[in-house]
Amino acid sequence: MTTPTLVAQIRKGFRSGTLASFALDVEIDVPPGITILFGPSGAGKSTLLDCIAGLTRPDAGRIASGDAVLFDSEAGINLPPQRRSAAYVFQSLALFPHLSAEDNVSYGLAQLSAAERRACTVEILESFRVASHGRHKPGELSGGERQRVALARALVTSPRVLLLDEPLSALDAGVKFEILEDLRGWNAARRLPILYVTHSREEVDALGERVIALDHGRVVATGAPREVLDAPRRLRLAQAAGFENLLAATVLELRQADGVMRVRLETGDAELEVPLAHAAPGDSVRLAIRAGDILLATERPSGLSARNILPGKILSLEPRSTFVTARVDCGATFAVHLTPGACRGLELAEGQNVWMILKTHSCHFVQE
Ligand code: ADP
């Protein structure tokens, strides 16, 4: 069974004495499956979820799931949260502390017989792998188990949409990804529209079928995770998507026939060949480049298709858990990610001269 797409057109403004005014103005579709809502802090993600859930009243707009209209400012419809069938789970969502996991989950099933309640509860606790904790109270569960019970409680009532606001952000990566897998498994057959807010690039990669990117209360991009986050067109989105190198540059020359142009970095005088964009010689532009998209070599490489080979010097090498960050000065400072094995194999050291190699299409244009 597939639940209909949730369609929301929402306008909501906040004006406050101390806070800057903020306006949300969006039109989104949340089809069956998982849609990630991504964007920097303050973009309006929680406000959007609150409007769908009925916790915040939009100034104008319409929210509907198939024939069910949850909000329509023109028709004067504004269903209260309990009549919207919108399940909402956030990080700090408290389970009832005095009730067992089973009683927390069956709480919303008052209309069913005792036998039916128990059957539904056990089935969903099994789906989220916490059936063996059915008799435990929240205080006796781990953080991950509590969020599993919270998901089970939200989903047992067969909502028409599931809203998740960074529900797993406090959990370890391993626990988080196991829960995401179970959520995806649970939803594979049901095809409920799920709107999932996260800041985490890893969660987008693990979960996302679709991404809606929000900034300053507007939808700035929609599409597959790679399209939206690997080629961001907005600076703040590039920052949120974890692009480590954000560089100012000046356009030198357009080569229309090759689909490329040359730019000079504003710091230092290194030049790069980058994809052609709507720009003219002399324009100031911004580039976003992932640290993991840059290669290092200890000798000048030859016979490579990559168009950008820049000499530089290693300023520092900083080991992280699964990679090493090299800071390389070539007039401007670049962050480059290498595996610890590559770093050892090349015998890299601080102060060493190296060559940085960048593909043209690893250089993405962004707007302020
Ligand atoms: P996000 O979830 O993307 O971090 P929010 O939706 O929480 O963003 O907030 C978006 C903007 O709306 C922020 O600038 C915030 O200060 C403002 N905002 C949210 N709720 C209120 C409110 N009740 N009154 C005034 N401003 C608010």
Side-chain angles (χ1 to χ4, degrees):
M1 190 196 73
T2 294
T3 316
T5 292
L6 179 91
V7 180
Q9 294 157 280
I10 295 172
R11 277 196 282 124
K12 170 76 190 166
F14 289 119
R15 221 153 268 114
S16 144
T18 47
L19 296 171
S21 66
F22 172 82
L24 179 74
D25 188 352
V26 296
E27 209 173 310
I28 62 163
D29 289 358
V30 188
I34 299 174
T35 299
I36 302 272
L37 190 57
F38 189 84
S41 187
K45 305 181 295 295
S46 300
T47 304
L48 173 54
L49 261 54
D50 287 353
C51 286
I52 296 171
L55 305 179
T56 294
R57 187 193 169 111
D59 299 332
R62 189 171 189 278
I63 305 169
S65 162
D67 295 335
V69 179
L70 313 186
F71 178 82
D72 188 330
S73 52
E74 283 188 6
I77 298 170
N78 182 22
L79 294 192
Q82 64 276 17
R83 289 190 45 218
R84 291 196 177 201
S85 276
Y88 200 172
V89 178
F90 26 92
Q91 189 192 325
S92 56
L93 181 75
L95 296 168
F96 297 119
H98 58 289
L99 295 183
S100 68
E102 239 178 73
D103 290 344
N104 262 286
V105 172
S106 63
Y107 186 85
L109 300 174
Q111 74 287 7
L112 301 183
S113 71
E116 286 169 326
R117 286 173 69 159
R118 176 144 172 81
C120 288
T121 302
V122 168
E123 188 194 355
I124 197 142
L125 286 173
E126 274 170 4
S127 298
F128 285 93
R129 298 174 205 259
V130 273
S132 61
H133 296 291
R135 298 267 152 236
H136 294 157
K137 297 203 170 135
E140 299 162 332
L141 301 173
S142 70
E145 287 158 357
R146 277 202 294 273
Q147 283 312 65
R148 287 174 176 278
V149 175
L151 283 169
R153 184 174 76 172
L155 292 168
V156 77
T157 54
S158 304
R160 54 169 69 99
V161 59
L162 174 62
L163 307 170
L164 298 167
D165 195 349
E166 306 210 54
L168 308 179
S169 57
L171 303 176
D172 291 347
V175 173
K176 182 169 21 186
F177 290 121
E178 281 171 23
I179 298 178
L180 291 178
E181 260 324 293
D182 289 340
L183 175 64
R184 219 212 310 244
W186 182 88
N187 204 39
R190 290 159 185 88
R191 304 294 292 154
L192 185 71
I194 298 180
L195 194 54
Y196 190 104
V197 168
T198 182
H199 273 99
S200 154
R201 177 67 213 239
E202 285 173 328
E203 284 180 48
V204 177
D205 289 337
L207 260 185
E209 297 163 22
R210 265 175 98 243
V211 176
I212 297 175
L214 212 60
D215 193 16
H216 293 303
R218 303 282 191 284
V219 174
V220 292
T222 306
R226 296 212 137 254
E227 288 166 33
V228 175
L229 298 184
D230 286 353
R233 284 177 289 279
R234 293 286 196 106
L235 180 62
R236 278 160 49 89
L237 197 57
Q239 283 162 336
F243 276 74
E244 297 81 0
N245 297 294
L246 293 162
L247 302 150
T250 306
V251 176
L252 298 178
E253 176 198 4
L254 309 183
R255 292 200 203 132
Q256 305 274 0
D258 296 337
V260 299
M261 56 197 211
R262 285 201 76 72
V263 301
R264 177 182 293 129
L265 299 183
E266 274 180 15
T267 310
D269 57 2
E271 292 184 14
L272 289 173
E273 183 179 286
V274 302
L276 193 64
H278 285 293
D283 282 358
S284 292
V285 293
R286 286 245 186 200
L287 299 176
I289 304 169
R290 278 193 192 286
D293 282 349
I294 305 176
L295 297 178
L296 287 188
T298 50
E299 289 170 25
R300 190 182 212 292
S302 61
L304 271 188
S305 62
R307 306 294 296 163
N308 298 306
I309 300 174
L310 304 178
K313 185 186 282 257
I314 297 182
L315 297 175
S316 64
L317 291 167
E318 297 152 26
R320 311 271 181 208
S321 51
T322 53
F323 61 88
V324 176
T325 300
R327 305 224 168 258
V328 180
D329 176 27
C330 69
T333 303
F334 280 78
V336 181
H337 287 171
L338 308 112
T339 61
C343 198
R344 276 194 307 276
L346 291 174
E347 298 180 353
L348 296 181
E350 289 176 9
Q352 188 173 347
N353 290 323
V354 287
W355 296 87
M356 286 199 306
I357 300 142
L358 291 92
K359 292 196 318 196
T360 301
H361 286 279
S362 296
C363 305
H364 304 281
F365 273 91
V366 291
Q367 296 162 356
E368 295 289 344

